[in-house]
Amino acid sequence: MDRLIGMGFLKFVPDQHRADVRLQLVATATKGYLDSDWNDDCVATDLRGYPADNEDLAEGQVGATILLMKPVLEREGVKLDTVLDECGDEMYEVVINGQRHLIYEGDGGEDSWTLALKRLLEIVNGLLEQAGSAERLYGMYAGNDGRVVLLTEAMYDYIESLGDVFDSSWMPYSVGQLEAGERR
């Protein structure tokens, strides 16, 4: 745990709450996953984990999910003046600062859940990269239990290196792993 914290895992947590959040992380790590308490919007108090129910994303909540991350994204240099979900019969797009991002066309087909999650990861990672941030968004779990987590590549690599310390269903995954069908 201390190695992750040394990598900046708690950088989004106000100083006065870091000790409590660290204890929350330690408690969950002993149970095979890494998380902190959630607020009413299901946002982790470490401000790294966010809800990403794949069905909700596919039904027009990609932009709303991005808005949950707004304080952290803006701290990382991402400008978010406007974020709108535009979901219609012909297509679903998220409009960020006037720029349209296609989520899917038509009804998205039978893979609309996976497609919406993939696009969320791609959009946020593109915004973070443009801002010069080292943070990236990864998926966790899948389906109605889907979540996303912000990690640097070094944090992700370290978590991966721990192997069987964490339950395999909890392990974060990248867009590439999602595309390869390794997570759904």
Side-chain angles (χ1 to χ4, degrees):
M1 183 59 47
D2 289 331
R3 184 163 175 195
L4 271 177
I5 290 170
M7 293 176 171
F9 195 86
L10 296 179
K11 78 178 192 179
F12 302 124
V13 179
D15 290 339
Q16 67 269 25
H17 299 295
R18 285 187 181 177
D20 288 338
V21 173
R22 181 188 179 283
L23 289 175
Q24 294 166 22
L25 294 170
V26 168
T28 59
T30 64
K31 298 174 185 170
Y33 64 103
L34 189 63
D35 206 352
S36 58
D37 293 345
W38 299 354
N39 68 17
D40 291 341
D41 291 323
C42 296
V43 173
T45 55
D46 58 37
L47 299 177
R48 289 195 172 273
Y50 298 86
D53 176 305
N54 297 175
E55 182 178 15
D56 290 346
L57 294 175
E59 291 178 352
Q61 294 296 307
V62 171
T65 301
I66 292 170
L67 285 173
L68 287 175
M69 294 181 252
K70 184 177 179 174
V72 168
L73 294 176
E74 288 185 336
R75 182 170 168 183
E76 289 299 298
V78 174
K79 184 179 178 183
L80 293 174
D81 292 329
T82 58
V83 178
L84 302 169
D85 285 298
E86 291 190 359
C87 202
D89 293 337
E90 299 299 315
M91 70 177 55
Y92 171 28
E93 295 178 308
V94 173
V95 184
I96 301 172
N97 301 334
Q99 182 178 0
R100 295 185 170 279
H101 300 270
L102 180 66
I103 306 304
Y104 57 76
E105 293 182 292
D107 64 5
E110 59 187 63
D111 286 333
S112 63
W113 288 21
T114 303
L115 190 54
L117 174 61
K118 177 181 178 262
R119 293 298 295 140
L120 170 66
L121 297 175
E122 290 172 339
I123 291 165
V124 172
N125 287 338
L127 293 169
L128 287 163
E129 188 174 338
Q130 286 175 341
S133 171
E135 299 286 343
R136 294 296 179 269
L137 194 63
Y138 295 87
M140 291 174 51
Y141 302 110
N144 295 114
D145 296 323
R147 288 189 63 78
V148 290
V149 62
L150 285 163
L151 300 168
T152 64
E153 186 175 345
M155 288 175 197
Y156 175 78
D157 289 344
Y158 176 67
I159 290 169
E160 282 273 307
S161 78
L162 296 175
D164 293 339
V165 171
F166 296 118
D167 185 292
S168 63
S169 66
W170 172 86
M171 293 297 285
Y173 54 88
S174 67
V175 171
Q177 290 169 304
L178 186 63
E179 290 174 337
E182 295 175 31
R183 299 292 195 148
R184 291 189 186 244

